Amino acid sequence: MSTCPFAINPMVTNLDEETTHLREAGPITQIDLLGVPAWSVTDHAIARQLTTDARLVKDINAWGLWSSGVVTRQWPLIGMVDAGRSMFTVDGPEHRRLRAKTTQALAPRRLEELRPVIERLTAELLDDVAAAAAENGGVVDLKQVFAYPLPMRVVGELMGVDRADHAKLLDWYKAFFSVMTPQDERLAIIDAMDVYFTDLVRAKAANPGDDLTSAFLTADEGGEPLTEEEVIGNIKALVAAGHETTVGLILNAVRALSNHPDELAKVLAGEVEWKQAIEETLRWDSPVTHLLMRFATEDITVGDVVINKGDGVVMSYRAVGRDKGVHGENADEFDVERATAKTHLAFGYGPHICPGAALSRLEVSIALPALFARFPGLKLAVTDDELVNLPVLTQNDLAALPVAVG
Ligand code: PLO
C-alpha cells in the first residue's frame, strides 16, 4: 500500500465529513480500521462490480492479515468478520443452500402475513410514546421508546424469540457494536449469544413453532439439511441484521424529514409517496456506513488500483449513496423526489444482497406514516448538531433522537 490510509474515526463524530473525504479520495481507496488496513469502495459502479466478483469471498480464512496472525480476536471489529458459518460468511453453491429458506420466508408476498403483526406492534409502541411524552412535557427520546424496540419485536416474531429476552439481546448487541466496549467483554458477549442461540435452536427442534428458526430445522425434500452450526449462524445473522439496521433507518428517516420540512410536507400531503422518502433516506443516510468485509482470492485490478490476493475490501455504502455520477451534482442533498433514489445500494448488491430488504421496507413503511399520523406536529427537540452517533464504526446509528410530539 503506497499512500497513507485514511483512518476511519470509530467515534463517528462527523459522518458527513468522513463520507465526503472518502468520496474525494477516489472510487476505491485505502482506509485504516482501528489499525488494520483495508480497501474502501465508494463508487456505485465499482461496488456493483465487486459485489458480483466471485474472486472476492466472505471467508475470513482468505484474509492475509488473519491467516498470518497479524489480526487476532483482540481486534475490536473481529466479531463483524469472524461471525461463524452462515449465509453471511459463505459463497457459491453453499451460500445458495444456506440462504434459500430465508429468501422464501422474506419474500414480499409471504411478508404480507406479518403486516398486521407489525401494525399492532407499531400501535403499541406509539401508545408508549404518547405516555412517555405526557410524563415529560411532550418531549421523548424517539429512539428509546420507538425506533429501538420495534425492529427487535418484529424480528422476534419472525424468528420465534421470546419478548422476555429482547432487553437482554438489545443490551448485548449494543455492547457488541460499540467500540467503547472492552474487548474481553465483547468476546464474552459473543460467547453468551452463541449459548443463547444454541439453546433457542435446541428448544425449537424439540418443540417447533410457526417461525423461521423452526423452518431452518426442517429439511426440504431432496435438499441437504442445514447443520446445527449453520442454523445457529443464520439465526445470529438474522436477529442482528434484522434489528440493528432498521433502528438506524427509522431514526435517519425521521431526522432527515424533520430537518427538511418542505420535503416532509410533500409526503404528508400525499404528493410524494412514503416509499420515495424511505428510498431517499436509504441512499442519503444509509444505516450501514461500512460493510465488512470481502477478501481477494487473487489479485484484482480495478482501474489503476490492484487489490492484492489476501486484501480486505469494505463496501462504504454511505459514500456509495453520494455518487454524483449516478445521483447528480446535488447528491449530497436530501430530495424525496429524486428519480435515482431507488437505485441506491444500501441493501448491497449481488448474491449477498440483503435478504431482509422487503421486511425492512415493510416495517418502515408502516412505522413512519403511523408515527406522523399519530403525532402530526412531531419536531426535533434539539438542533441537528446536538445529535450524536453511537461510537460504532460500521453502523450509522444515533445515540438518541429527542423529539417534541406536540
Ligand atoms: C453480528 C453478530 C452476529 O453474531 C453475527 C453477525 C452476522 C450478520 C451481521 C451481523 C453480525 C452484524 C450486522 C450485519 C449482519 C449482516 C448484515 C448487517 C453486518 C456480525 C449489516 C449490513 O449491518
Side-chain angles (χ1 to χ4, degrees), residues 130-139:
E135 272 175 35
N136 202 21
V139 174

Side-chain angles (χ1 to χ4, degrees), residues 44 278-284 286 317 320-321 326-327 340-349 353 361:
H44 183 101
I278 294 165
E279 298 309 311
E280 177 65 350
T281 303
L282 284 160
R283 178 198 73 82
W284 185 69
S286 64
Y317 286 122
V320 168
V326 173
H327 302 293
T340 59
K342 61 180 181 303
T343 68
H344 68 74
L345 304 180
F347 290 115
Y349 193 74
I353 191 167
R361 287 175 164 128

Side-chain angles (χ1 to χ4, degrees), residues 79-81 83-84 86 88 173 176-177 190 193-194 197 233 236-238 240-241 244-245 287-288 291-292 346 394-395:
M80 298 300 294
V81 184
S86 77
F88 182 61
Y173 285 119
F176 169 83
F177 283 110
I190 292 172
M193 292 201 283
D194 279 341
F197 287 114
K236 287 196 303 190
L238 288 167
E244 202 287 334
T245 51
V288 178
L291 191 289
L292 272 49
T394 55
Q395 321 293 116

Side-chain angles (χ1 to χ4, degrees), residues 304-370:
D304 50 15
V305 162
V306 179
I307 303 170
N308 286 314
K309 177 178 178 181
D311 284 357
V313 180
V314 170
M315 297 297 151
S316 295
Y317 286 122
R318 193 173 190 275
V320 168
R322 304 296 185 94
D323 190 324
K324 293 194 168 71
V326 173
H327 302 293
E329 275 310 309
N330 69 350
D332 286 328
E333 283 161 35
F334 179 76
D335 172 5
V336 294
E337 292 174 277
R338 184 182 302 279
T340 59
K342 61 180 181 303
T343 68
H344 68 74
L345 304 180
F347 290 115
Y349 193 74
H352 286 277
I353 191 167
C354 177
L359 173 58
S360 164
R361 287 175 164 128
L362 176 65
E363 234 172 287
V364 181
S365 73
I366 292 170
L368 290 178

Side-chain angles (χ1 to χ4, degrees), residues 117-139:
V117 175
I118 300 171
E119 286 171 349
R120 171 174 54 77
L121 295 170
T122 301
E124 277 170 26
L125 287 169
L126 288 174
D127 287 343
D128 294 353
V129 174
E135 272 175 35
N136 202 21
V139 174

Side-chain angles (χ1 to χ4, degrees), residues 211-335:
D211 50 60
L212 184 51
T213 302
S214 303
F216 281 146
L217 293 160
T218 330
D220 277 337
E221 227 170 295
E224 190 62 29
L226 301 191
T227 65
E228 187 183 70
E229 182 198 5
E230 291 167 341
V231 172
I232 294 167
N234 273 354
I235 291 165
K236 287 196 303 190
L238 288 167
V239 176
H243 123 76
E244 202 287 334
T245 51
T246 312
V247 174
L249 178 53
I250 295 170
L251 293 175
N252 295 349
V254 174
R255 177 190 193 177
L257 289 164
S258 305
N259 282 328
H260 298 86
D262 295 348
E263 301 300 292
L264 176 59
K266 290 179 210 166
V267 178
L268 293 181
E271 289 162 28
V272 171
E273 284 182 274
W274 272 104
K275 70 173 184 218
Q276 280 181 261
I278 294 165
E279 298 309 311
E280 177 65 350
T281 303
L282 284 160
R283 178 198 73 82
W284 185 69
D285 198 14
S286 64
V288 178
T289 318
H290 303 288
L291 191 289
L292 272 49
M293 203 163 8
R294 287 172 170 82
F295 309 105
T297 56
E298 42 185 284
D299 290 357
I300 300 172
T301 304
V302 185
D304 50 15
V305 162
V306 179
I307 303 170
N308 286 314
K309 177 178 178 181
D311 284 357
V313 180
V314 170
M315 297 297 151
S316 295
Y317 286 122
R318 193 173 190 275
V320 168
R322 304 296 185 94
D323 190 324
K324 293 194 168 71
V326 173
H327 302 293
E329 275 310 309
N330 69 350
D332 286 328
E333 283 161 35
F334 179 76
D335 172 5

Side-chain angles (χ1 to χ4, degrees), residues 139-166:
V139 174
V140 291
D141 175 5
L142 193 70
K143 177 169 187 182
Q144 205 50 44
V145 281
F146 185 71
Y148 192 50
L150 180 62
M152 181 56 87
R153 289 192 193 179
V154 174
V155 81
E157 290 276 346
L158 179 76
M159 303 305 298
V161 176
D162 271 357
R163 179 79 72 96
D165 296 334
H166 291 187

Side-chain angles (χ1 to χ4, degrees), residues 36-73:
V36 170
W39 294 101
S40 160
V41 176
T42 68
D43 177 273
H44 183 101
I46 294 176
R48 285 177 37 145
Q49 181 193 322
L50 291 181
T51 47
T52 48
D53 189 327
R55 295 172 297 174
L56 283 167
V57 298
K58 306 289 289 286
D59 179 3
I60 190 175
N61 297 306
W63 192 13
L65 292 173
W66 174 255
S67 47
S68 65
V70 173
V71 170
T72 68
R73 299 278 297 166

